[in-house]
Every structure is written in structure tokens, then in C-alpha cells.
């Protein structure tokens, strides 16, 4: 029964849809990873295990701060980090961590959800918003200097805006 249960948990770990890393809490060394982590990071399991966390994070100082905080609180939920794939491309994760015992030592169970596409969409949205704001500002400047009257009204025909030319003409 114990062996069957261990095998069931191993299969859950191996087949999970999120990247799962088990990290030595004392020194940040990767102790184990699931297949999804290898696929997402682009690192073979035999090269991943034994690697230090600082080799895959974009900001090692911030990662160290998170590790210190985790050692005190035993659990950190829903924080975002930027890490690096083996090919050097960025990857954004939403991470949930907890301190566990693994093979007789204190370790960190890190479940990392890839949110790279969501972050790219947010960045694109922010870029488009900035472009829209710039275009609206340019339009406002054009309306303010044009020689013809420009008047905006609401649905009851109350005037909500007029340009300087409208002010001069009327």
C-alpha cells in the first residue's frame, strides 16, 4: 500500500500541468523537477537537478529575499517572477511555494504557473493604451488650434466642450 501510494504521488508530480520544483531551502539547489518544468525551462532533468536557483531567476537578489521571507512564513502564495529559459528567453511565472520536508531535509515546494502569454498581452495592452492616449492628446491639440468651431454636446444637446475657435465665433 505504501509503495502504491508513493507511486501515485510520483505520477501526480510527474504529470502536473504546472512546473514543479523542489528546492533545497538552505542553499537554493534544485533537488527535483517534474516533466513540465523541464519542458517549460528547456532543460533536461539531469541538467536541472543540482542547478542553483540563481541560475534561472532574472533577479537573484529578489529571489533571495523571497527565500528569506519563505523561511519565516513557511508559505508564499501568488507572487510573480521573471525567470529565464535555457535559450535565454524570458518566462513569467505565478508562483506558490511552501516549505516541506524532502528526503530528510527542509525543502521548498514551488508550483510555477507559466503566465508568459498573459504578461505579453498585458504589455501589448499597455502599449496600445499609451498609443491611444498619445493620439487623443494630438487630436486635442489639433482641435484647439483649428480655425473652425468645434462643439460637443451630450444626448440632451447640452454643450460639454467647445474649442477656442467656437468661443471666438459665438
Amino acid at each position: 500500500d505504501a509503495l502504491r501510494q508513493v507511486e501515485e504521488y510520483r505520477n501526480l508530480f510527474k504529470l502536473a500541468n504546472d512546473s514543479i520544483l523542489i528546492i533545497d531551502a538552505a542553499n537554493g539547489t534544485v533537488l527535483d523537477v517534474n516533466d513540465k518544468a523541464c519542458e517549460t525551462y528547456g532543460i533536461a532533468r539531469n541538467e536541472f537537478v543540482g542547478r542553483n536557483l540563481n541560475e534561472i531567476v532574472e533577479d537573484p537578489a529578489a529571489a533571495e529575499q523571497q527565500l528569506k521571507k519563505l523561511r519565516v512564513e513557511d508559505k508564499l502564495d501568488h507572487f510573480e517572477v521573471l525567470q529565464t529559459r535555457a535559450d535565454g528567453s524570458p518566462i513569467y511565472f505565478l508562483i506558490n511555494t511552501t516549505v516541506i520536508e524532502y528526503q530528510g531535509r527542509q525543502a521548498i515546494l514551488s508550483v510555477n504557473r507559466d503566465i508568459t502569454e498573459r504578461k505579453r498581452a498585458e504589455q501589448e495592452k499597455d502599449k496600445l493604451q499609451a498609443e491611444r492616449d498619445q493620439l487623443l492628446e494630438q487630436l486635442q491639440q489639433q482641435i484647439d488650434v483649428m480655425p473652425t468651431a468645434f462643439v460637443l454636446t451630450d444626448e440632451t444637446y447640452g454643450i460639454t466642450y467647445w474649442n477656442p475657435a467656437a468661443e471666438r465665433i459665438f
Side-chain angles (χ1 to χ4, degrees):
D1 282 347
L3 253 138
R4 185 180 47 75
Q5 190 175 20
V6 167
E7 188 61 30
E8 286 173 0
Y9 280 111
R10 186 71 188 161
N11 282 336
L12 290 173
F13 173 78
K14 186 176 180 174
L15 300 173
N17 287 327
D18 290 329
S19 298
I20 301 175
L21 289 76
I22 299 175
I23 302 160
D24 189 312
N27 61 22
T29 301
V30 176
L31 301 173
D32 202 359
V33 294
N34 68 349
D35 293 346
K36 184 67 174 185
C38 295
E39 175 190 325
T40 302
Y41 285 93
I43 302 171
R45 187 175 186 287
N46 63 337
E47 294 173 15
F48 213 142
V49 173
R51 196 175 270 212
N52 192 282
L53 188 60
N54 290 336
E55 295 176 46
I56 59 172
V57 297
E58 195 69 23
D59 186 354
E64 186 58 38
Q65 282 295 102
Q66 292 288 9
L67 284 174
K68 285 179 183 175
K69 189 175 178 183
L70 182 59
R71 289 178 190 122
V72 172
E73 298 180 22
D74 285 341
K75 186 175 185 173
L76 294 176
D77 288 333
H78 296 90
F79 63 94
E80 293 182 10
V81 297
L82 174 61
Q83 296 184 348
T84 308
R85 288 187 172 98
D87 65 6
S89 63
I91 184 168
Y92 292 90
F93 283 111
L94 178 64
I95 296 184
N96 292 293
T97 57
T98 191
V99 175
I100 61 169
E101 185 173 320
Y102 181 77
Q103 297 179 347
R105 66 177 111 174
Q106 192 176 40
I108 298 163
L109 175 66
S110 181
V111 180
N112 304 357
R113 176 153 296 161
D114 183 352
I115 59 169
T116 305
E117 288 307 313
R118 186 189 89 194
K119 293 299 275 187
R120 283 190 186 129
E122 287 172 2
Q123 290 168 348
E124 184 65 23
K125 178 185 163 211
D126 291 345
K127 178 183 166 195
L128 291 172
Q129 182 75 32
E131 288 174 5
R132 185 195 76 122
D133 291 347
Q134 183 181 13
L135 287 171
L136 286 174
E137 185 177 320
Q138 290 172 352
L139 178 61
Q140 181 66 49
Q141 290 170 354
Q142 292 297 318
I143 290 170
D144 286 346
V145 298
M146 67 185 207
T148 57
F150 183 84
V151 180
L152 287 179
T153 63
D154 60 19
E155 62 274 353
T156 63
Y157 301 105
I159 295 174
T160 59
Y161 174 82
W162 62 88
N163 70 345
E167 195 169 310
R168 281 191 310 277
I169 292 168
F170 298 117

